[in-house]
Amino acid sequence: MTIDKAANPTAKMISDLAALEGGNDLQKRVLSEFGYQIGRWVYLIDAADDYEKDKKSGNFNPFIKADINDKDYINSVLSQSLARAYDAYNLLDIIDFKPIIDNMMLYGFPNKQNAVLNNRQEVKNEQSV
């Protein structure tokens, strides 16, 4: 099983939900891609966070199943999803909640990713966009 095959159900579910908010076919397509990449990231960041616990307990983990234990590789997989989500997000004409979503995309998700991959507490970020 590949990590993408494992992440696909969660990614597809978030994709389908996000697409429902589109007012036209183009918006639906962009929101679908945004949702897919966020859903993929959420599934895989959880797997990365649970890696050691799952390894000890024998629970399923896509990174263990695919024999991936390289933090740099896992970081690049996660960063790819965030980059693709951000690209899709930038195609949207968002007005409501834009500062909050910008903050999540530029600070929140990357900060969480760094904390998980480096086994450390999240850094409180006082910056806001």
Side-chain angles (χ1 to χ4, degrees):
M1 170 168 292
T2 67
I3 58 174
D4 284 322
K5 189 172 182 179
N8 190 61
T10 301
K12 181 77 171 108
M13 176 187 63
I14 302 297
S15 171
D16 290 349
L17 287 171
L20 292 173
E21 291 299 314
N24 59 49
D25 287 342
L26 178 59
Q27 286 178 349
K28 287 179 184 185
R29 227 169 88 200
V30 172
L31 284 164
S32 176
E33 177 66 13
F34 175 76
Y36 187 89
Q37 295 303 328
I38 292 296
R40 180 179 187 263
W41 185 86
V42 166
Y43 181 86
L44 294 176
I45 195 69
D46 182 59
D49 193 29
D50 293 345
Y51 186 92
E52 292 301 325
K53 181 180 73 170
D54 290 342
K55 192 170 185 176
K56 287 178 186 171
S57 70
N59 287 341
F60 176 80
N61 186 300
F63 293 118
I64 295 169
K65 185 75 172 168
D67 198 26
I68 298 170
N69 189 20
D70 180 355
K71 281 187 183 180
D72 289 335
Y73 180 80
I74 294 170
N75 187 53
S76 69
V77 166
L78 291 165
S79 294
Q80 176 193 24
S81 279
L82 286 183
R84 291 186 72 180
Y86 192 68
D87 287 346
Y89 168 69
N90 281 322
L91 294 174
L92 298 168
D93 187 22
I94 294 178
I95 297 168
D96 294 336
F97 307 109
K98 183 167 179 30
I100 294 169
I101 300 170
D102 284 347
N103 209 12
M104 289 169 44
M105 296 298 299
L106 296 173
Y107 299 109
F109 293 140
N111 186 32
K112 182 64 170 177
Q113 182 173 315
N114 287 332
V116 165
L117 294 179
N118 295 310
N119 296 320
R120 59 185 168 88
Q121 291 273 332
E122 289 181 60
V123 176
K124 186 172 180 180
N125 189 335
E126 299 297 330
Q127 294 181 351
S128 183
V129 273

